[in-house]
Amino acid sequence: MGTAKLILDGKEHDFPTTTGSEGEVGIDIAKLRAATGAITLDEGYGNTGSCKSAITFIDGERGILRYRGYPIEQLGAARFTEIAYLLIYGHLPNAAEFEAWRDKLTRHSLLHEDMKKFFEGFPATAHPMAMLSAMVASLSTYYPDDQDLDLNIVRLLAKAKTIAAFSYKKSIGQPFMYPRNGYNYAENFLHMMFSVPAEPYEVNPVVARALNLLLILHADHEQNCSTSTVRMVGSSGANLFSSISAGISALWGPLHGGANQAVIEMLERIRDDGGGYQKFIDLAKDKESGFKLMGFGHRVYKNFDPRSLILKAAADEVLDELGIDDPLLDLAKGLERVALEDSYFVERKLYPNVDFYSGILYRAMGIPTNMFTVMFALGRLPGWIAQWKEMREEGYRINRPRQIYIGETARDWVPVERR
Ligand code: CMC
């Protein structure tokens, strides 16, 4: 443990430092306000460690992402459910543990029949992210907090994909397709999304493999906006389902998970405009325009996002295997090339992030654009659960930041007739 010195108004104060297993140093300012009367101000929390965590390690400068110590580049060959277990329980399951885990995840996929009625109340135009968030919150009405946590975790993971597929079926007016126990997680989701009672459906193994990879790449990303939201809500003592429903809402925003939908909409706009990149690069550089290059930039990665490298290669491979020629993939690659040569993007260390190529893959798999962020949510679910569970197990205080007040000082209320 080291010490950091702060001199405030000529007075010196010592604060202990804490070092993580990868050498990251944090200054522990828990006693700052009591000792000095001052607080820290860190808008957007870019320099604030909100917790200690043993789940995911990121080195943004070196483009490293590891789940429980395992590099992301090695995990593409795993099963998504195996990675979910790893994140939530801290170790890779052995054969017996994995079998039991998969069995439970399969057997809890059905929704309570009454929950189907909720979908009747949503308009056909409802965004599937709104339905997902509402339906996950409503799980707490069926499975109260005092029930076995491990069972509620299984229920949430198993039922989320059913809810997601039902949201899509609702939006296109097709009958809900029930899960089938012979399928694995990714296959079951594809079956519920794309099959209809009128004819047989076969899951395309290329598509199932691509989905498995996408889910794994999204499975956790330490204290990002939605995960911090899950921890924030959970720190009040709120139950698992409500905390994660809040995380889903946070993910929806276009600066976070909603970027994957926004990337495809941007690429379509560029295509419809004739395919010239420069105009859009210039727009993104003009702060007045309000336009950003979606799928570019990251709070943590300042060199490259390892997930985007994996996805770029996967997009090439999967489109090739499916025999799809998507002009948007060529547009995306061209846009990346031009942006990475532009001093604005180079100086600010802006690189493609996970959302830049994922949408191209979802399109090739037949997933509609407004479901992209739902796919991200399905992938991120194990991470949210793991982080919520870790917080509960490690002990926590209610999350309650402070502020620097900049409003009016005290003044007297005046009756309305005298204003
Ligand atoms: N296009 C144009 N300029 C950008 C972009 C972009 N996509 N991203 C950042 N900048 C500029 C920004 O204007 C700022 O410029 P200046 O220094 O002149 O004021 C500089 O780069 C630093 O950016 P920042 O906004 O301070 O960075 P941040 O860490 O607060 O925001 C971000 C990170 C991801 C929200 C942001 O890069 C962004 O809005 N990107 C587009 C949306 C996106 O792709 N989001 C997905 C993020 S990755 C997956 C996920 O979290 O879901």
Side-chain angles (χ1 to χ4, degrees):
M1 202 163 70
T3 303
K5 286 196 186 304
L6 171 75
I7 300 170
L8 187 65
D9 295 334
K11 203 167 166 230
E12 197 173 293
H13 305 269
D14 284 349
F15 295 97
T17 61
T18 183
T19 306
S21 51
E22 291 284 348
E24 277 170 317
V25 178
I27 303 168
D28 181 347
I29 53 154
K31 303 230 164 16
L32 175 69
R33 189 165 178 277
T36 67
I39 60 168
T40 55
L41 183 62
D42 184 21
E43 285 178 31
Y45 306 128
N47 305 281
T48 297
S50 59
C51 61
K52 289 182 197 161
S53 177
I55 301 171
T56 290
F57 173 69
I58 302 177
D59 181 330
E61 273 69 36
R62 291 192 290 155
I64 292 174
L65 168 61
R66 296 186 204 128
Y67 297 159
R68 301 275 188 192
Y70 298 102
I72 194 70
E73 291 79 7
Q74 291 179 20
L75 299 180
R79 286 277 185 83
F80 171 62
T81 42
E82 186 184 343
I83 299 305
Y85 188 101
L86 169 70
L87 288 167
I88 296 168
Y89 294 107
H91 64 274
L92 285 168
N94 64 29
E97 285 168 332
F98 191 32
E99 191 51 43
W101 173 245
R102 283 170 60 193
D103 188 58
K104 277 192 277 183
L105 285 180
T106 305
R107 291 184 186 283
H108 284 277
S109 298
L110 278 174
L111 299 187
H112 191 293
E113 277 296 291
D114 290 351
M115 285 193 81
K116 280 172 35 190
K117 299 206 178 68
F118 295 172
F119 287 98
E120 286 169 24
F122 295 124
T125 50
H127 196 288
M129 278 301 273
M131 287 191 265
L132 182 66
S133 173
M135 296 299 288
V136 166
S138 73
L139 285 173
S140 59
T141 64
Y142 290 85
Y143 310 109
D145 206 14
D146 54 9
Q147 293 193 0
D148 176 0
L149 175 62
D150 287 319
L151 182 56
N152 275 353
I153 286 174
V154 165
R155 285 171 172 147
L156 176 53
L157 273 170
K159 293 178 200 307
K161 65 177 179 315
T162 313
I163 293 172
F166 280 20
S167 309
Y168 172 60
K169 289 297 194 191
K170 158 78 192 182
S171 74
I172 57 168
Q174 282 187 0
F176 299 137
M177 295 300 291
Y178 283 45
R180 287 190 31 193
N181 288 357
Y183 285 137
N184 69 29
Y185 194 97
E187 291 166 348
N188 221 344
F189 174 74
L190 292 169
H191 148 74
M192 289 189 281
M193 275 288 285
F194 297 120
S195 69
V196 286
E199 59 187 22
Y201 170 80
E202 262 185 50
V203 176
N204 184 329
V206 175
V207 175
R209 223 178 35 245
L211 176 55
N212 183 64
L213 175 70
L214 280 155
L215 293 172
I216 290 173
L217 292 180
H218 287 86
D220 194 45
H221 216 235
E222 47 115 312
Q223 308 312 318
N224 58 85
C225 176
S226 56
T227 303
S228 298
T229 302
V230 168
R231 280 186 179 257
M232 170 74 89
V233 175
S235 81
S236 75
N239 68 61
L240 177 73
F241 301 114
S242 350
S243 304
I244 288 188
S245 162
I248 294 170
S249 300
L251 184 75
W252 192 4
L255 297 186
H256 194 7
N260 58 14
Q261 172 169 347
V263 168
I264 291 296
E265 287 164 355
M266 174 186 76
L267 292 174
E268 286 171 342
R269 195 174 145 197
I270 298 176
R271 179 198 59 198
D272 297 345
D273 195 64
Y277 314 113
Q278 200 52 48
K279 175 174 162 191
F280 292 88
I281 299 267
D282 292 342
L283 260 184
K285 287 155 61 172
D286 174 8
K287 303 274 190 242
E288 303 297 305
S289 73
F291 176 84
K292 276 184 169 180
L293 216 51
M294 298 314 286
F296 256 75
H298 199 276
R299 172 62 61 80
V300 180
Y301 293 120
K302 298 298 171 198
N303 196 342
F304 64 93
D305 179 338
R307 302 166 301 174
S308 113
L309 295 188
I310 297 172
L311 284 175
K312 185 179 181 184
D316 269 332
E317 207 178 295
V318 171
L319 266 66
D320 193 44
E321 281 179 324
L322 294 176
I324 294 175
D325 180 21
D326 186 349
L328 291 196
L329 176 59
D330 300 328
L331 262 185
K333 284 184 185 168
L335 188 61
E336 177 186 351
R337 206 172 38 247
V338 175
L340 293 185
E341 281 165 7
D342 190 297
S343 60
Y344 174 96
F345 292 89
V346 175
E347 279 159 20
R348 289 170 179 76
K349 302 187 183 224
L350 302 172
Y351 296 89
N353 58 49
V354 68
D355 295 316
F356 196 66
Y357 285 105
S358 61
I360 306 271
L361 272 161
Y362 292 136
R363 260 164 73 89
M365 293 157 62
I367 310 269
T369 314
N370 68 353
M371 282 290 290
F372 288 3
T373 314
V374 170
M375 307 306 297
F376 191 151
L378 288 184
R380 184 55 53 88
L381 205 46
W384 288 330
I385 295 171
Q387 301 270 351
W388 186 93
K389 183 167 170 286
E390 182 182 66
M391 183 184 74
R392 285 289 168 108
E393 287 171 353
E394 296 300 313
Y396 59 97
R397 289 177 83 194
I398 188 165
N399 287 1
R400 204 303 185 185
R402 287 185 177 264
Q403 64 168 9
I404 300 290
Y405 176 70
I406 55 165
E408 300 286 350
T409 52
R411 49 182 172 166
D412 292 325
W413 175 80
V414 183
V416 69
E417 57 279 7
R418 284 207 274 120
R419 282 176 221 157

